[in-house]
Amino acid sequence: MPYHPIFRQNFRPSLLFKKKQLFCSFPFPSLGLLKSTSLSLSSKQRNPQKSVKSVQIHHKTSMANLKAGTRPPWVGLGAAVWVQIASGNAYNFPLYSHSLKSVLGFNQHQLTMLGVANDIGENVGLLPGIACNKFPPWVILLIGSFACILGYGVLWLAVSKTVLYLPYWLLWLALCVATNSSAWLSTAVLVTNMRNFPVSRGTVAGILKGYAGLSAAVFTEIYSTILRKSSANLLMFLSFGVPILCFVMMYFVRACTPAFGEDSAEHGHFLFIQVASVVLGLYVLTTTILDPIFHFSAEVSYAILVGMVVLLMAPLAIPVKMTFCPLRINRPEIRNQQVASSDETLQGEGNADKTEPLLKSSESATYLGSFREGDEASEVAMLLAVGEGAVKKKRRPKRGEDFKFTEAIIKADFWLLFLVYFTGVGSGVTVLNNLAQIGIAQGIHSTTILLSLFSFCNFIGRLGGGVVSEHFVRSKTVPRTLWMTCTQIIMVITYLLFASAISGTLYAATALLGICYGVQFSIMIPTVSELFGLKHFGIFYNFMSLGNPLGAFLFSGLLAGYIYDNEAAKQHGLGLITSSISCIGPNCFRLTFLILAGICGVGSVASIILTKRIWPVYQMLYGGGSFRLPQTSTH
């Protein structure tokens, strides 16, 4: 084999390829590997064996910073459940929006624009998406906690009248900052756990986003029992209670080394968490509905709260069980073990020719791809490979491989997925932001039951979307987006049901919409990771999430609020929309619902097109019945 002039000094091909394999098998840039592998070319020329040994030592050192084994990822998942509940603080807007309107004298248009601020803060997470590739999860959680303290603290000062006459623009910005904590908290736990369970990403996304959807019901339980339906007390709780919880969980939410063998108990563990979450949802929904009927005493309310906390701790039972009843996991062959044992394959040039296969990726590399691999390490490996002629030219990634953001945004599939998600969640969040006013317009003055019902069904949609899509994608290689198509067609029917305002249908329509709204979240998250990879997943996920505030601004702020205030002005005989008046009757939102039905119809068509386009990708990824990454020359 001819040598490239750069590598003529004592470089043997086998040693070079083993060094390339070392990069591919355990690419974790956040552990200081990048700096250690940035070796000058002259040093490699002088002593290539020393360079390889140096990289090997740094690999061993970097692995010490990761929690290895099968138990730590489950500890992180159990802690992530609590953080996801905390990250649902933005769903509390309907609980204190009426106080913003009455205490501060806002009209409905001003209130809906505050709802837009609520959604912008919650979903604009490009900064967290970038930061999650540069900093450990605890830093992301810390930033989110401080945002929570600052934003909700200002809102509490206004609603409690501790500070009088705060300007509207300041409250708008404070709400953006407060709910932006959701983006930081959710990104930290979602990205970390998707990487800790790379071959179960649909299930993990469904569980975590399911708990996030259930958080509104949990906060409603706290609001109705301990806080006694006080908006000021709720805002104080969000200002201090949520950050304290995140401070406690910071230590446990961390990147872990995924298990390299088949864990026969994994399916049972996920099933246990799913069942526990459903029980929690039913428990919270039932107690919320029964509270206004039986008027629970303080003692009963505290007992209900304790039961809710116990159910929230259920996922932590898995690592406890694994501690006391450890199971042996069937390990693959020696080449599939951790890279810490790579010193056995790099013992010198004398044994170099006996190692095999030199260019074949390990099973762990097949599962993990290069989502933790730094650009600098990739280019060093690429330079070495090009020097030996193993790689001739760097090519653009194909669907299913790791994309950079600039490579993904020029793809039609990326924008089709964004359009489908935008129409689904943008229309759904319009109903959520105006749920209190929708209920009042149809004669229902207690919004806590409506919010709890929407929250529980949102949770069912998120959890069920993850479970159902994971089952069919593995058994039938059906693209996950097919379920976005089905649910958006159902949303069209649901909006028409809202517009009809038939007596007794409000609760059913709210429940149905909650399920369909939740499915959009649990489908989008694993889909974007499967099409464009996990390496820059945090950025892709948060960019897709921009569909939520964009929809809130267009459909809730500009559309629903304007139509509502105009109708209210007609009812009260006012020529101008200048006061905080209420609208009663089906006409308050009828036109809004008809427009939302048309928007979801467009989303359904786009989803059908996207599903047809990406069907071959899922046949490639799941053709063998289990997830596998495509083998590329750069991995």
Side-chain angles (χ1 to χ4, degrees), residues 4 9 100 110 152 164 179 188 204 211 246 312 334 346-347 369 374 395-396 408 474 479 498 539 577 587 607-608:
H4 191 279
Q9 297 189 19
L100 293 174
Q110 289 175 311
Y152 284 116
L164 299 176
T179 55
V204 171
Y211 272 102
C246 293
L312 280 171
I334 186 69
L346 290 177
Q347 305 212 349
R395 62 173 178 80
R396 290 183 178 180
R474 290 179 180 273
F498 272 114
I539 301 175
I577 305 172
N587 289 333
S607 183
I608 292 173

Side-chain angles (χ1 to χ4, degrees), residues 561-594:
Y562 179 78
I563 294 174
Y564 179 94
D565 282 335
N566 269 315
E567 185 63 31
K570 291 178 183 178
Q571 290 183 3
H572 291 269
L574 300 174
L576 297 175
I577 305 172
T578 57
S579 59
S580 55
I581 55 178
S582 297
C583 179
I584 304 298
N587 289 333
C588 300
F589 290 97
R590 176 168 288 161
L591 180 58
T592 300
F593 288 133
L594 292 176

